[in-house]
Amino acid sequence: MTSQPTKKTAAPAVGGHGLQAGLKDRHLSMIAIGGVIGAGLFVGSSSGIATAGPGILLSYALVGTLVVLVMRMLGEMSAANPTSGSFSAHADRALGRWAGFSIGWLYWFFWVVVLAVEATAGAVILEGWIPAVPQWAWALIVMIVLTATNLVSVGSYGEFEFWFAGIKVVAIAAFIVIGGLAVFGVLPGVDSEQAGLSNLTGHGGFLPNGPGAILTGVLLVVFSFMGSEIATLAAGESENPQKAVTKATNSIIWRVAVFYLGSILVVVSLLPWDSKAIAEDGSYVAALDSLGIPHAGQIMNFIVLTSVLSCLNSGLYTASRMAFSLGQRGDAPKGFGRTTGNGVPRAAILASVAFGFVAVFFNYKFPDSVFLFLVNSSGAVALFVWLVICFSQLRMRRIIQREAPEKLVVKMWLYPYLTWATAALIVFVLGYMLTDTEHDGRKTVLLSLLVAALVLIVAFVKEKVGAGRGAAAAVAVPDVEDAEDASPGKVKTG
């Protein structure tokens, strides 16, 4: 398959003709750091710990390594060609229109469903604080406020995300420091007799449920890493996209190591993995309670709410920029590819949030049928995206080397061997999910494959129709010389 011609994407522009460079370096830095810390880390880690015990650290390390490798590939392509379409635009050129269309719409679908999930999660916390306002109203308020933020300018999105992500980063850094001091018995004024590194090997050993639990743990934690790629989409609206992408790519290793492995290590060291408190209260709340920190539950609720708002803010931004890129490439309504004078893709934002509102309605009206289908059918999209990034990078490296080798400022390690190994690992995880009936892994993969197949069918039909129309247009427009020869009053000789 030959490479596709480059299409005009979201280059910074003025006058309402494109996105603008409204994100500052500090915005990009915090988006890159905070993007890898999802709300799933705080609320979903307890089930992973219960499944794999202290061995959950290996699950996080395995998925973290996968994310680092995928981000390295994406960084290579995005540093050479920064665009709001990111991996969708790269797939468009490297693999074909069908690939860019399919993965772009699947990614958009994933994030608009996330909008409903996060809005509901935030509404639950807010209703607990102010019960006079019903849960559905809180979800509505949160969605409206963040939609307004995104509609003002990309700078307002960046400013909100800077502070949301900043609170997450400070909170988790403080947790690691305070918890680490308690683990080594040097935290004054705190009774933490049960804390210690002995918790890693006690209570049945490091792998109390056997080595197989590591893979089950992978299935439970893999989706909490989704969001690390947001920095490459946002870089297209920064003053120095190449520098922003390079910095975000190079820092992914320490971000994963510190925020995921570091904080989970503290949790399983402060408490035995089979502690009832972890299962009942959540891993981080239980860890704070064990340190005797007052109001631990409310403190964690505040941090989780901040993470939820951050995820909502970024989710709406990400979905709208993907829709914008699809619109510019002719794979979505043309209105999605237009911007206001402030460089805001208004139609793309409103369309994304409209679907989010519909999903919120389904969550309250049909939580166990329609909404459950939406959640499960978007669940494996993260792995699909990563797989497409692998195959895109295999083709794009050759294209970049041929056309503009000087743009290879970020290079994938051990190309192409490590790329193929990463793709094989992703396929293995998807295959293993098909054997998982206890945690709905099989249902998630099958429903996600169903939706992906439907999108692929639309992509191929669209390409066929487009090719047919192009051929018809070519036939309908005669050659200029023939047109002149056939003009009235002219006699063709010879």
Side-chain angles (χ1 to χ4, degrees):
M1 185 181 293
T2 57
S3 63
Q4 301 298 308
T6 308
K7 299 172 186 64
K8 186 179 179 181
T9 51
V14 294
H17 299 296
L19 302 179
Q20 295 182 356
L23 293 175
K24 301 176 182 177
D25 284 346
R26 64 182 178 89
H27 293 154
L28 264 297
S29 297
M30 199 56 73
I31 289 170
I33 295 172
V36 81
I37 309 173
L41 173 64
F42 299 110
V43 299
S45 54
S46 55
S47 57
I49 293 171
T51 299
I56 194 66
L57 287 166
L58 296 180
S59 302
Y60 274 104
L62 190 60
V63 180
T65 301
L66 193 61
V67 170
V68 167
L69 294 173
V70 170
M71 277 297 294
R72 188 74 185 182
M73 297 177 220
L74 182 56
E76 176 183 292
M77 295 184 290
S78 296
N81 182 30
T83 168
S84 64
S86 189
F87 50 84
S88 173
H90 304 321
D92 191 310
R93 186 179 184 199
L95 304 177
R97 287 290 297 273
W98 64 271
F101 177 96
S102 303
I103 207 63
W105 277 113
L106 284 173
Y107 192 69
W108 178 87
F109 175 58
F110 170 84
W111 278 110
V112 292
V113 172
V114 166
L115 291 180
V117 174
E118 300 296 342
T120 304
V124 170
I125 296 173
L126 290 167
E127 186 190 31
W129 292 344
I130 309 176
V133 180
Q135 195 179 115
W136 66 266
W138 276 122
L140 187 66
I141 291 169
V142 166
M143 291 274 276
I144 290 174
V145 169
L146 292 178
T147 300
T149 299
N150 276 265
L151 284 173
V152 172
S153 69
V154 67
S156 63
Y157 153 73
E159 200 62 35
F160 268 70
E161 190 56 24
F162 176 82
W163 292 105
F164 286 153
I167 292 172
K168 285 192 296 185
V169 170
V170 169
I172 204 164
F175 174 80
I176 292 171
V177 171
I178 295 171
L181 292 174
V183 168
F184 291 103
V186 294
L187 187 65
V190 173
D191 180 20
S192 53
E193 293 181 3
Q194 60 181 342
L197 295 177
S198 59
N199 283 326
L200 297 176
T201 53
H203 306 273
F206 185 70
L207 294 171
N209 297 324
I214 297 173
L215 289 176
T216 306
V218 165
L219 306 186
L220 296 173
V221 307
V222 66
F223 303 110
S224 65
F225 282 83
M226 193 66 169
S228 53
E229 70 290 332
I230 292 175
T232 63
L233 279 88
E237 293 177 81
S238 65
E239 294 177 354
N240 191 336
Q242 190 178 76
K243 177 185 175 183
V245 170
T246 304
K247 188 175 179 181
T249 303
N250 292 336
S251 66
I252 187 69
I253 297 176
W254 71 261
R255 285 187 276 140
V256 168
V258 171
F259 296 123
Y260 277 88
L261 293 177
S263 64
I264 294 297
L265 176 61
V266 167
V267 170
V268 294
S269 298
L270 284 175
L271 290 167
W273 70 273
D274 55 356
S275 169
K276 290 183 179 179
I278 291 180
E280 293 173 358
D281 303 327
S283 51
Y284 287 84
V285 173
L288 290 174
D289 274 332
S290 74
L291 297 177
I293 295 177
H295 310 296
Q298 292 304 319
I299 291 173
M300 190 50 60
N301 274 340
F302 173 73
I303 296 170
V304 170
L305 178 63
T306 304
S307 297
V308 164
L309 295 176
S310 171
C311 193
L312 259 173
N313 194 36
S314 289
L316 183 53
Y317 171 83
T318 305
S320 65
R321 267 40 178 196
M322 185 58 72
F324 170 82
S325 178
L326 288 166
Q328 282 216 321
R329 286 180 275 144
D331 291 333
K334 289 182 179 179
F336 287 8
R338 299 193 185 104
T339 60
T340 65
N342 290 334
V344 173
R346 181 188 296 158
I349 291 175
L350 293 177
S352 300
V353 81
F355 192 96
F357 279 126
V358 171
V360 168
F361 169 77
F362 285 144
N363 191 18
Y364 286 106
K365 197 70 176 175
F366 311 105
D368 299 322
S369 55
V370 180
F371 187 72
L372 189 61
F373 169 80
L374 291 176
V375 172
N376 284 330
S377 61
S378 65
V381 167
L383 293 169
F384 296 165
V385 167
W386 295 348
L387 196 58
V388 167
I389 288 172
C390 291
F391 291 127
S392 298
Q393 191 266 338
L394 286 169
R395 296 292 304 276
M396 280 298 290
R397 166 66 77 90
R398 295 199 294 270
I399 295 172
I400 297 169
Q401 284 178 326
R402 183 175 67 247
E403 297 180 358
E406 71 280 359
K407 291 185 176 181
L408 275 174
V409 293
V410 176
K411 289 186 179 182
M412 176 60 183
W413 307 295
L414 298 177
Y415 167 85
Y417 309 108
L418 208 47
T419 301
W420 280 112
T422 305
L425 181 58
I426 295 169
V427 172
F428 174 77
V429 171
L430 284 167
Y432 190 78
M433 286 180 72
L434 288 172
T435 68
D436 174 46
T437 54
E438 184 180 353
H439 304 99
D440 286 338
R442 177 182 295 174
K443 183 186 295 184
T444 297
V445 172
L446 291 177
L447 288 177
S448 296
L449 284 172
L450 173 63
V451 172
L454 293 173
V455 175
L456 275 171
I457 290 171
V458 173
F460 284 122
V461 169
K462 182 179 180 298
E463 198 163 347
K464 278 273 189 183
V465 171
R469 285 177 179 171
V475 172
V477 179
D479 185 81
V480 174
E481 289 186 10
D482 291 340
E484 290 177 353
D485 290 339
S487 60
K490 182 162 183 173
V491 179
K492 189 173 181 179
T493 60

